[in-house]
Amino acid sequence: MKRSNIILLVSLVLFLSSLPFTAIYAKDHEMSGLACFLLGWAEMEGGGKAWLANPLLFIAAFLLLVKQVKISAFISFIALALTFCYLSVGEITVNEAGHKFPITGYGTGYFLWIASCLFLLIGNIFLLISPEKTKTQV
């Protein structure tokens, strides 16, 4: 299996494994990674900017798939930076009524999401600095 495919697979597994776990703890509420993934775009003035890491992660993965490693590395760096932007958010909307509660902690889902972006970035950097194997003709 190609190194780029292994990097993509591990990053995807990390991302998918972040979805069922609790990502955000708010006062008397918990938000799963899936809920944050599906609804995070709706809160662009708060933590929604961090949600933009999701489409950037998918774009970076696609670019790695089509062998655009430099561009993929740059976009995965931006995605990773956006995941840390969520640490500056003080409150989160926890239901469809628009009630906001202060964030009290971050769960496994959040850290697996960060790990997914980080692994893709490190994998891209590894592919950039490692020499390609050339096939010698016999």
Side-chain angles (χ1 to χ4, degrees), residues 55-122:
L56 289 178
L57 179 66
F58 297 134
I59 291 169
F62 175 75
L63 288 169
L64 180 59
L65 193 62
V66 296
K67 303 193 182 351
Q68 297 293 320
V69 181
K70 288 181 183 178
I71 300 170
S72 177
F74 179 72
I75 292 176
S76 60
F77 174 76
I78 295 170
L80 179 64
L82 284 173
T83 63
F84 289 111
C85 288
Y86 208 80
L87 294 173
S88 67
V89 176
E91 57 184 17
I92 187 171
T93 305
V94 295
N95 57 30
E96 59 275 351
H99 296 116
K100 292 183 180 259
F101 289 95
I103 294 174
T104 58
Y106 300 92
T108 306
Y110 177 71
F111 295 111
L112 286 170
W113 180 50
I114 290 174
S116 167
C117 294
L118 180 64
F119 192 84
L120 186 60
L121 175 62
I122 291 171

